[in-house]
Amino acid sequence: MSPQQNSDVDESAEAFTSPTVIDQPVKGPDDAAESQATLSAEIESIETQYKQDVAGGKKPETQPRLDYRPYRSSILRHPTKDPRHTDPETIELFSPAFGHRDIGTLESDLTIQADGEPIGERIRVTGRVLDGEGRPVRGQLVEIWQANSAGRYIHKRDQHPAPIDPNFTGVGRTLTGDDGSYSFTTIKPGPYPWKNHHNAWRPAHIHFSLFGSEFTQRMITQMYFPGDPLFALDPIYQSITDQKARDRLVATYDHNITEHEFLMGYNWDIVLTGANRTWMEEEDDD
Amino acid sequence: MTETTPTTDLTPTPGQTVGPFYGYAMPYEHDNELVPPGSARAVQLTGTVYDGAGERVPDAILEIWQPDENGEVPRKTGSLLRNGFTFTGFGRAAVDPEGEFSFSTVNPGPTEAGKAPFISLVIFARGLLNRLFTRIYLPEDTEALAADPLLSSLDEDERARLVATRGADGSLHFDIRLQGEEETPFLRFPSHED
């Protein structure tokens, strides 16, 4: 399926379909006229309850809740039954393999994919992909996508009235190195308005798609930037009810990555769920 | 850098929703064609993703990962730039506006004698805050299905939801229900325990 076909099919209720939405909220399936105050009260009440539960001895949570009402689109899209505890079988203990044939060497630099320079704050995001034992995930695919510096996605359904940057697609791919490292050069994305409620804004973020050495480790997440004032207001970020767990999605500014008169540097390490397969078997594959 | 650089915090990084805008980033040419459609070995795998109200979900993206017909686990690269000959075992399909997906693949073989063959499936969607794993079993080997540890832990209705139906043309059909009475059984592996 081509990317073009897919950008046509997305009927996302979270995307703006008309710029007028900003001035005059339209009541839709997601009831976008709800206020931030309503949402913030819900977020706060869930967090207060969570803190009480943890104080009462409940184990801290490390992943987002699938059932998180403040993110309205999750209401009909979360399973209500407990997942079945399953021992992984052979195929699940291996992961698809990607190689240099799969990816162009320039795909990790999102600032050189067009004739001209994209507008915005040039940044580098770099770090390591590790498994739950701290072992580097080697030679594995990392995919990213993001809005441009004005907070606009190149996606057709994103029609929020911010400029498209003709020199920026916001899409990148790379393979991790032997030490699990990855590095992307890009532009710092802007905050992005969406229709969860009236005047809803996502904190600036970069979508990350990750594979491990086992398919059970497959994950997609979002990386955020330190000190974003929208954190407290955002139902997607706050769906991780534990502050320490949420912090794991926030990159660290690192002046050692920053380059003289060129770009600002951020570090973000990613830890995948622990591997089930033993290391001995892993070595056998090589 | 040494192989096992100590990292203070090895708690898994949280997942987040794939969001609404994966469509210009994740799909790629022939992403859902593990083998060329129409080729002698090709089997079409189709289905629809539904939400808790029974509505079709138009913004989900699925990935499958499977052994070949002989039960061999593929170790070949080339999933992103397919050459039409190498079976990599991996495919990706965004659903269409009707929530329907389609893969061109092969029937997986049992990875060990007597094991029930299945395709591993992971689901991402707008509104779904973290990925969901499940399995698509083939309907034929009823003896192996009966002996399967996961299937035998489920009641009859749930078990049926993890077994694809076979069309007269050899195609496979497997619907996904994210929520509700007919909810698809989703999996949690030991490594996912907090």
Coordinates of all heavy atoms in Angstrom, one line a residue, chain A residues 13-52:
Chain A
A13 N -10.5 11.7 13.9 CA -11.2 12.7 14.6 C -10.3 13.6 15.4 O -10.7 14.7 15.9 CB -12.2 12.0 15.5
E14 N -9.0 13.2 15.5 CA -8.1 14.1 16.2 C -7.5 15.1 15.4 O -6.9 16.1 15.9 CB -7.0 13.2 16.9 CG -7.5 12.4 18.0 CD -6.6 11.3 18.4 OE1 -5.4 11.4 18.1 OE2 -7.1 10.4 19.1
A15 N -7.6 15.0 14.1 CA -7.0 16.0 13.2 C -8.1 17.1 12.9 O -9.2 16.9 12.9 CB -6.7 15.3 11.9
F16 N -7.6 18.3 12.7 CA -8.5 19.4 12.3 C -8.9 19.1 10.8 O -8.1 18.9 10.0 CB -7.7 20.7 12.4 CG -7.7 21.2 13.8 CD1 -6.7 21.0 14.6 CD2 -8.9 21.9 14.3 CE1 -6.7 21.4 15.9 CE2 -8.9 22.3 15.6 CZ -7.8 22.1 16.4
T17 N -10.2 19.3 10.6 CA -10.6 19.2 9.2 C -11.0 20.6 8.7 O -11.1 20.8 7.5 CB -11.9 18.3 9.1 OG1 -12.8 18.7 10.1 CG2 -11.5 16.8 9.3
S18 N -11.1 21.5 9.6 CA -11.3 22.9 9.2 C -10.7 23.9 10.2 O -10.7 23.7 11.4 CB -12.8 23.1 9.2 OG -13.1 24.5 9.3
P19 N -10.0 24.9 9.6 CA -9.4 25.9 10.5 C -10.4 26.6 11.5 O -10.0 27.1 12.5 CB -8.8 26.9 9.6 CG -8.7 26.2 8.3 CD -9.9 25.2 8.2
T20 N -11.7 26.6 11.1 CA -12.7 27.3 11.9 C -12.8 26.6 13.3 O -13.4 27.2 14.2 CB -14.0 27.3 11.2 OG1 -14.4 26.0 11.0 CG2 -14.0 28.1 9.9
V21 N -12.4 25.4 13.4 CA -12.6 24.7 14.6 C -11.9 25.5 15.8 O -12.4 25.5 16.9 CB -11.9 23.3 14.5 CG1 -11.9 22.6 15.9 CG2 -12.7 22.5 13.5
I22 N -10.9 26.2 15.4 CA -10.1 26.9 16.5 C -11.0 28.0 17.1 O -11.0 28.2 18.3 CB -8.8 27.4 15.9 CG1 -7.8 26.3 15.8 CG2 -8.2 28.5 16.8 CD1 -6.5 26.6 15.3
D23 N -11.7 28.7 16.3 CA -12.5 29.8 16.9 C -13.9 29.3 17.4 O -14.4 29.8 18.3 CB -12.8 30.9 15.8 CG -11.5 31.4 15.3 OD1 -10.5 31.6 16.1 OD2 -11.3 31.6 14.0
Q24 N -14.4 28.3 16.7 CA -15.7 27.9 17.0 C -15.8 26.4 17.2 O -16.0 25.7 16.2 CB -16.7 28.4 15.9 CG -18.0 28.9 16.4 CD -18.7 29.7 15.4 OE1 -18.5 29.5 14.2 NE2 -19.5 30.6 15.8
P25 N -15.6 25.9 18.4 CA -15.6 24.5 18.6 C -16.9 23.8 18.1 O -18.0 24.3 18.4 CB -15.4 24.3 20.1 CG -15.6 25.6 20.7 CD -15.5 26.7 19.6
V26 N -16.7 22.8 17.3 CA -17.9 22.1 16.8 C -18.1 20.8 17.6 O -17.2 20.1 17.9 CB -17.6 21.6 15.3 CG1 -18.8 20.8 14.8 CG2 -17.4 22.9 14.5
K27 N -19.3 20.6 18.1 CA -19.6 19.4 18.8 C -19.6 18.2 17.9 O -20.4 18.1 16.9 CB -21.0 19.5 19.5 CG -20.9 20.4 20.7 CD -21.7 19.8 21.9 CE -21.6 20.8 23.1 NZ -22.1 20.1 24.3
G28 N -18.7 17.3 18.1 CA -18.6 16.1 17.2 C -18.6 14.9 18.1 O -19.0 15.0 19.2
P29 N -18.2 13.7 17.5 CA -18.3 12.5 18.2 C -17.4 12.6 19.5 O -17.7 11.9 20.5 CB -17.7 11.5 17.3 CG -17.6 12.1 15.9 CD -17.7 13.6 16.1
D30 N -16.4 13.4 19.4 CA -15.5 13.5 20.6 C -15.9 14.7 21.5 O -15.2 15.0 22.4 CB -14.0 13.6 20.1 CG -13.5 12.3 19.7 OD1 -14.1 11.3 19.9 OD2 -12.4 12.3 19.1
D31 N -17.0 15.3 21.1 CA -17.5 16.4 21.9 C -16.3 17.4 22.2 O -16.0 17.6 23.4 CB -18.1 15.9 23.2 CG -19.0 17.0 23.9 OD1 -19.1 18.0 23.2 OD2 -19.5 16.7 25.0
A32 N -15.8 18.0 21.2 CA -14.6 18.8 21.3 C -14.9 20.1 22.0 O -14.0 21.0 22.2 CB -14.0 19.1 19.9
A33 N -16.1 20.4 22.5 CA -16.4 21.6 23.2 C -16.1 21.5 24.7 O -16.2 22.5 25.4 CB -17.9 22.0 23.0
E34 N -15.7 20.3 25.1 CA -15.4 20.2 26.5 C -14.1 21.1 26.8 O -13.2 21.2 26.0 CB -15.0 18.7 26.8 CG -16.2 17.8 26.9 CD -15.8 16.4 27.2 OE1 -15.1 15.8 26.4 OE2 -16.2 16.0 28.3
S35 N -14.1 21.6 28.0 CA -13.0 22.5 28.3 C -11.7 21.8 28.8 O -11.8 20.7 29.3 CB -13.4 23.6 29.3 OG -13.6 22.9 30.6
Q36 N -10.6 22.5 28.7 CA -9.4 22.0 29.4 C -9.6 21.8 30.9 O -9.1 20.8 31.4 CB -8.2 22.9 29.1 CG -6.9 22.4 29.7 CD -6.3 21.2 29.0 OE1 -6.2 21.1 27.8 NE2 -6.0 20.2 29.8
A37 N -10.4 22.7 31.5 CA -10.6 22.5 32.9 C -11.3 21.2 33.3 O -10.9 20.5 34.2 CB -11.4 23.7 33.4
T38 N -12.3 20.8 32.4 CA -13.0 19.6 32.6 C -12.0 18.4 32.5 O -11.9 17.5 33.4 CB -14.1 19.4 31.6 OG1 -15.0 20.5 31.6 CG2 -14.8 18.1 31.8
L39 N -11.2 18.5 31.5 CA -10.2 17.4 31.3 C -9.1 17.3 32.4 O -8.8 16.3 32.9 CB -9.5 17.6 29.9 CG -10.1 16.9 28.7 CD1 -9.9 15.3 28.8 CD2 -11.6 17.2 28.6
S40 N -8.7 18.5 32.7 CA -7.6 18.6 33.8 C -8.1 18.1 35.1 O -7.4 17.4 35.8 CB -7.1 20.0 33.9 OG -6.4 20.4 32.8
A41 N -9.4 18.3 35.4 CA -10.0 17.8 36.6 C -10.0 16.3 36.6 O -9.7 15.6 37.6 CB -11.4 18.4 36.8
E42 N -10.4 15.7 35.5 CA -10.4 14.3 35.3 C -9.0 13.7 35.5 O -8.8 12.7 36.2 CB -10.9 13.8 34.0 CG -12.4 13.9 33.8 CD -12.9 13.4 32.4 OE1 -12.3 12.5 31.9 OE2 -13.8 14.0 31.9
I43 N -8.0 14.3 34.8 CA -6.7 13.8 34.9 C -6.2 13.9 36.4 O -5.6 12.9 36.9 CB -5.7 14.7 34.0 CG1 -6.0 14.5 32.5 CG2 -4.3 14.5 34.3 CD1 -5.4 15.4 31.6
E44 N -6.5 15.0 37.0 CA -6.0 15.1 38.4 C -6.7 14.1 39.3 O -6.0 13.6 40.2 CB -6.4 16.6 38.9 CG -5.5 17.1 40.0 CD -5.8 18.5 40.4 OE1 -6.0 19.3 39.5 OE2 -6.0 18.7 41.6
S45 N -8.0 13.9 39.1 CA -8.7 12.9 40.0 C -8.1 11.5 39.8 O -7.9 10.8 40.8 CB -10.2 13.0 39.7 OG -10.7 11.8 39.7
I46 N -7.8 11.1 38.6 CA -7.2 9.8 38.4 C -5.8 9.7 39.0 O -5.5 8.7 39.7 CB -7.1 9.5 36.9 CG1 -8.5 9.3 36.3 CG2 -6.2 8.2 36.6 CD1 -8.6 9.3 34.8
E47 N -5.0 10.8 38.9 CA -3.7 10.8 39.5 C -3.8 10.8 41.0 O -3.0 10.1 41.7 CB -2.9 12.0 39.0 CG -1.5 12.1 39.8 CD -0.4 12.5 38.8 OE1 -0.6 12.9 37.7 OE2 0.8 12.3 39.3
T48 N -4.7 11.5 41.6 CA -4.9 11.5 43.1 C -5.2 10.1 43.6 O -4.6 9.6 44.5 CB -6.0 12.5 43.5 OG1 -5.6 13.8 43.0 CG2 -6.1 12.6 45.0
Q49 N -6.1 9.5 42.9 CA -6.5 8.1 43.3 C -5.3 7.2 43.1 O -5.0 6.3 44.0 CB -7.6 7.6 42.4 CG -8.1 6.2 42.7 CD -8.7 6.2 44.1 OE1 -9.6 7.0 44.5 NE2 -8.2 5.2 44.9
Y50 N -4.5 7.3 42.0 CA -3.4 6.5 41.8 C -2.3 6.6 43.0 O -1.8 5.7 43.5 CB -2.7 6.8 40.5 CG -1.3 6.1 40.3 CD1 -1.3 4.8 40.1 CD2 -0.2 6.9 40.4 CE1 0.0 4.1 40.0 CE2 1.1 6.3 40.3 CZ 1.1 4.9 40.1 OH 2.4 4.3 40.0
K51 N -2.1 7.9 43.3 CA -1.1 8.1 44.4 C -1.6 7.5 45.7 O -0.8 7.0 46.5 CB -0.9 9.6 44.6 CG 0.0 10.2 43.5 CD 0.2 11.7 43.7 CE 1.1 12.4 42.7 NZ 0.9 13.8 42.6
Q52 N -2.9 7.6 46.0 CA -3.4 7.0 47.2 C -3.2 5.4 47.1 O -2.8 4.8 48.1 CB -4.9 7.2 47.3 CG -5.2 8.6 47.9 CD -6.7 9.0 47.8 OE1 -7.5 8.1 47.6 NE2 -7.0 10.3 48.0

